[in-house]
Amino acid sequence: MQDLAGKHLVLGLTGGIACYKSAELCRLFVKAGATVQVVMTEAAEQFITPVTMQALSGRTVYTSQWDTREPNNMPHINLSREADAIVLAPCSADFIARLVQGRSDDLLSLMCLARPMDRIPLLIAPAMNREMWAHPATQRNLMQVSADGATVLGVGSGWQACGETGDGRMLEPAQLLEDITAFFQPKLLAGQKVLVTAGPTFEALDPIRGITNHSSGKMGFAIARAAREAGAEVTLVAGPVHLPTPRGVTRVDVLSAQDMFEATTRAAQGASIFVATAAVADWRPATHSDQKIKKDGSGKTPVLDFVENADILLTVAKSERAQAKKLFCVGFAAESENLVEHAKAKRERKGIPLLVGNIGPLTFGQDDNALLLVDAQGVRELPRASKLTLARELMTEIAARLPDWSV
Ligand code: CTP
């Protein structure tokens, strides 16, 4: 997806072994549609060559404030004024300290100091040894650099090039891309607490077997990501799916519809928006065998009896919080036919302000989808697009309805 189309980024590299990851980061930025101007400190050049970064960005790299290519000899002004953001990745402990002090004796620090702060955000991806990261001087500097208007993207944890294990690794390029993409999204849901259910449920018959469905969880995960990008605090209650947790989202894994019911109704007590995308099993086996159900040789097949699972969305929509209009509930309807009719009826039956309809067999497992929004005013189509694009559009639709809605 061209999430960064039209964006121009200055990618600043400072001295650290994580520079090898900046090559991949640059490639991901370009793939996401951004144009990238790489600027490197002298120390960064010890770890990776400007030739590599030039080839990946498609632009010559700047390393010195004395670069004569700029007619006015002011690369620190010219390069920063064109940028939508300056991204420092990796940003060393030393470079953070230099930012705090407002030093400007090399091109990159000079550019950071000379950038118009109200227009050109500075995003920092620190990278250093765990002791350097934990040192009070670094932590003090990070607080100061944030107070001075920079956005610190955080660090990863794990094995470090020095052989030690702990916090301080640079985030992986894909994680940085996700965070930087999120940074540019409008913060339409700032201050909101969004709860999302996603994926299928698994209703066990015995310790080996169970009943589930084709839901991949992709739509729900995209919604959790989009809500987070829009500035909300997000909890994602996920059935059994193998999808990575979107950055910054709190995930609660569950298996059965009953587990999902408990986790969701608990989390709903503090939520302000609830989006139910999970394909919850309507029924569960009436009995659960502690041991595997065996063939007895008679050729007789087991007779299964079912009981109905509680409707999570209905329960949350009827809660005091939702009835007091402190919780905006959004349902999904996976239908196989007559989408408009079924979606309208389902919205009324569930007593919710917004229902999103889609054709189940056309969306399960796919990366794209088409949605139908049904509210008290009528019906609106969101044409086929990637699930993340649709999720972002849905966040805009929800934000627009929050000030005033009816069931
Ligand atoms: N849902 C839920 N708990 C259930 C069943 C459904 O929270 N036990 C939610 C789904 O997450 C979805 C909405 O209700 O947001 C509609 O789900 P769907 O399966 O399409 O509809 P049902 O209410 O189960 O009705 P039917 O199966 O008859 O179409």
Side-chain angles (χ1 to χ4, degrees):
M1 261 178 81
Q2 296 259 296
D3 277 336
L4 296 176
K7 295 278 183 262
H8 180 64
L9 303 175
V10 167
L11 175 59
L13 276 62
T14 74
I17 184 58
C19 276
Y20 82 91
K21 293 188 192 173
S22 307
E24 175 69 3
L25 179 62
C26 180
R27 205 182 66 87
L28 291 180
F29 281 160
V30 171
K31 237 175 118 183
T35 49
V36 182
Q37 176 59 60
V38 176
V39 177
M40 294 170 67
T41 64
E42 211 182 313
E45 286 185 76
Q46 296 293 319
F47 293 92
I48 190 168
T49 67
V51 174
T52 300
M53 299 310 293
Q54 178 178 349
L56 292 169
S57 64
R59 287 175 178 239
T60 55
V61 172
Y62 281 74
T63 56
S64 161
Q65 72 263 45
W66 311 121
D67 199 310
T68 53
R69 274 174 291 176
E70 296 295 310
N72 61 355
N73 207 282
M74 294 188 196
H76 62 295
I77 302 291
N78 305 345
L79 301 184
S80 67
R81 299 302 183 271
E82 304 165 350
D84 290 296
I86 300 176
V87 180
L88 302 180
C91 190
S92 65
D94 177 66
F95 202 82
I96 295 167
R98 290 153 59 75
L99 289 172
V100 167
Q101 289 190 354
R103 299 187 83 91
S104 52
D105 55 0
D106 80 303
L107 176 59
L108 192 55
S109 54
L110 179 59
M111 188 183 285
C112 292
L113 192 67
R115 84 186 204 283
M117 285 178 56
D118 53 336
R119 243 176 354 99
I120 301 164
L122 178 63
L123 299 143
I124 295 179
M128 65 198 74
N129 161 271
R130 65 187 178 122
E131 300 292 355
M132 293 168 74
W133 174 254
H135 197 285
T138 304
Q139 291 303 318
R140 196 167 56 235
N141 286 339
L142 283 164
M143 271 199 285
Q144 189 57 54
V145 91
S146 300
D148 289 346
T151 299
V152 178
L153 298 169
V155 290
S157 187
W159 186 82
Q160 301 197 310
C162 52
E164 297 178 6
T165 304
D167 293 342
R169 284 163 56 118
M170 187 168 87
L171 292 173
E172 296 305 316
Q175 296 175 317
L176 287 172
L177 178 70
E178 200 174 320
D179 284 0
I180 291 160
T181 304
F183 178 83
F184 285 117
Q185 292 298 318
K187 301 293 170 245
L188 298 172
L189 297 179
Q192 301 293 337
K193 290 189 177 173
V194 176
L195 172 63
V196 183
T197 60
T201 61
F202 181 89
E203 310 301 316
L205 279 165
D206 65 22
I208 311 284
R209 311 180 184 94
I211 295 169
T212 186
N213 60 63
H214 283 308
S215 168
S216 65
K218 284 180 181 173
M219 193 68 225
F221 274 61
I223 285 171
R225 175 175 170 177
R228 175 69 193 147
E229 288 179 345
E233 200 180 297
V234 183
T235 303
L236 172 62
V237 179
V241 291
H242 297 282
L243 291 175
T245 310
R247 298 267 307 147
V249 165
T250 305
R251 176 173 179 169
V252 183
D253 282 317
V254 295
L255 207 55
S256 68
Q258 280 173 300
D259 296 341
M260 188 174 273
F261 181 88
E262 274 160 37
T264 307
T265 47
R266 200 175 318 123
Q269 288 164 14
S272 57
I273 298 168
F274 173 44
V275 188
T277 71
V280 187
D282 288 322
W283 306 280
R284 66 176 177 276
T287 53
H288 173 264
S289 169
D290 288 339
Q291 302 302 331
K292 186 181 175 191
I293 303 167
K294 305 289 279 182
K295 281 180 288 199
D296 63 6
S298 70
K300 272 199 275 171
T301 53
V303 179
L304 296 179
D305 201 6
F306 291 92
V307 289
E308 196 169 320
N309 280 321
D311 190 317
I312 303 170
L313 176 59
L314 193 70
T315 308
V316 172
K318 290 221 172 329
S319 69
E320 226 173 273
R321 199 170 164 76
Q323 294 293 316
K325 290 200 162 189
K326 290 181 183 154
L327 178 59
F328 184 90
C329 293
V330 184
F332 264 68
E335 305 295 344
S336 59
E337 54 167 6
N338 298 339
L339 184 56
V340 178
E341 252 170 70
H342 284 311
K344 280 182 173 170
K346 204 166 272 184
R347 189 188 76 83
E348 279 171 28
R349 200 167 65 240
K350 305 254 182 187
I352 52 175
L354 182 61
L355 186 118
V356 183
N358 58 176
I359 297 288
L362 294 184
T363 170
F364 283 172
Q366 304 295 314
D367 288 324
D368 59 1
N369 198 1
L371 301 178
L372 190 77
L373 305 189
V374 183
D375 67 8
Q377 276 67 50
V379 175
R380 181 158 173 230
E381 232 176 285
L382 297 184
R384 188 156 281 279
S386 76
K387 287 185 174 174
L388 184 56
T389 303
L390 290 170
R392 287 177 182 149
E393 288 174 20
L394 182 60
M395 294 308 109
T396 309
E397 297 284 343
I398 292 173
R401 285 168 174 80
L402 284 182
D404 179 32
W405 48 275
S406 51
V407 168

